[in-house]
Each structure stands twice: as structure tokens, then as C-alpha cells.
Amino acid sequence: MQRVNELVSMTGWQGERQKVEWGEIERRLETRLPADFKEICEVFGRGAFCGYLELLPVDSAGPRSLLGRWTAMKERWANPRMRARFEPYQVFEQSGLILWGQSVTEASYYWLADASESPETWPIVARTDPLEELHRFDVSTSEFICRVLTDRDFRPFSVASKVKSLYFESYG
């Protein structure tokens, strides 16, 4: 988990490790989640990197949590306008999109998940706002977060030129 350690080092994070019941989350999704994402959630907990990139909560099934957002997306998928916003992708049901994070400026970060493949190989699909095009990145969750925070050329997602110092803000 080298990239997760980089995130800890870059942000100076010193919070307590969180206990997460991954079994229930993965049972409901019917797939495992990427190990680096699980590590990030356990190390950092609820919160946002640089007050910008927020991890969806995994410690509940509330409407704003990873499971809650996935459930809502599945329920709205029958609407053709909803489906059109995500073409050529679909909501996850053995394969498809699972939202794992968002930004305070309406960017959305998904895995292009496939239950038949290792979650470590899932690409990231993201967009800067709900009406913009989706971009695909063949990187891990932790690498994607690192690049958003530090790579000035990681357009259109980078905040590196806007953030003076890196930090993680816990939502406790």
C-alpha cells in the first residue's frame, strides 16, 4: 500500500485507524472492493482531502454513503435520461459503475467495476460535473487521489495549483 503511505506522509495525517465492516458492504454489492480504497478508509476515516476530494462514507448505509448512493443510482437507472448521462457505462450489477468519491465542486469518482475481475484492476471513471463527459483512468484509487492532489498536469481533475499545503480534514 505504498500510495496510501504516500497520502499519509503528504497530508501529515495522524488520526486513529477506523474499523470498517467490509463483509456487509461487499456482500450487498456482491463483489470485493479495491484493497487500497479499504486501506484509505481505515487509515483516514470519513472526510476530505484538502477540503476538496471526499470519500463516500462506508460506515453506514445512509443515503450519502457508498451503499446508499449505489442503491439510489440503481433505483433511478430505469429513467432513460439517467442512463444517457452515463453512456456507455451502466450502474454496477456484477459490472458497471460504483461511486466511491466526489468533490465539493460536483466532480464524481467511480470504479468501472467487474465482479469477475480483481478489484485491483478496476479503472477509475470520473467527471468534473454531472453534465460533463466521463474520463477513464487505468490507475488505482490511491494513485488517482495522489494525482488529483499533486499532479498539475492531471487535467481536468488536479487541484495541485490551487492547494498550498496538503491535508486531510476528518468529518469525525
Side-chain angles (χ1 to χ4, degrees):
M1 300 292 158
Q2 180 181 352
R3 287 284 186 175
V4 177
N5 291 335
E6 274 183 61
L7 284 169
V8 170
S9 179
M10 289 187 309
T11 61
W13 182 246
Q14 297 180 357
E16 282 189 42
R17 190 172 184 90
Q18 308 294 307
K19 176 73 174 135
V20 178
E21 295 299 326
W22 295 110
E24 178 61 17
I25 295 166
E26 293 175 331
R27 184 191 65 73
R28 295 225 2 234
L29 289 168
E30 297 183 16
T31 190
R32 293 174 298 123
L33 294 174
D36 71 327
F37 174 76
K38 294 193 283 189
E39 182 76 7
I40 292 166
C41 291
E42 290 175 4
V43 168
F44 290 95
R46 283 184 176 207
F49 290 93
C50 299
Y52 176 76
L53 191 155
E54 300 175 320
L55 301 172
L56 292 184
V58 294
D59 57 352
S60 77
R64 299 191 56 81
S65 71
L66 187 143
L67 283 176
R69 298 290 295 272
W70 171 68
T71 300
M73 197 171 168
K74 280 187 1 178
E75 290 169 357
R76 293 191 313 257
W77 202 249
N79 181 326
R81 286 187 299 215
M82 172 75 163
R83 286 194 312 270
R85 287 180 43 214
F86 291 93
E87 287 180 351
Y89 306 109
Q90 63 186 26
V91 68
F92 178 78
E93 295 209 54
Q94 297 304 304
S95 67
L97 300 175
I98 300 173
L99 181 69
W100 59 265
Q102 59 195 12
S103 79
V104 296
T105 60
E106 296 189 11
S108 301
Y109 313 116
Y110 304 87
W111 293 296
L112 182 53
D114 186 333
S116 68
E117 296 185 18
S118 166
E120 277 49 70
T121 66
W122 295 349
I124 303 291
V125 174
R127 67 167 142 219
T128 55
D129 80 44
L131 300 176
E132 292 296 322
E133 68 182 273
L134 291 158
H135 302 266
R136 179 183 166 146
F137 302 94
D138 292 312
V139 298
S140 68
T141 308
S142 54
E143 181 175 348
F144 182 85
I145 294 170
C146 285
R147 291 187 67 190
V148 166
L149 299 178
T150 64
D151 184 349
R152 291 175 187 263
D153 295 325
F154 194 57
R155 294 190 178 104
F157 299 98
S158 176
V159 296
S161 63
K162 298 173 181 141
V163 176
K164 295 194 188 316
S165 63
L166 302 179
Y167 64 94
F168 182 80
E169 179 182 359
S170 175
Y171 295 166

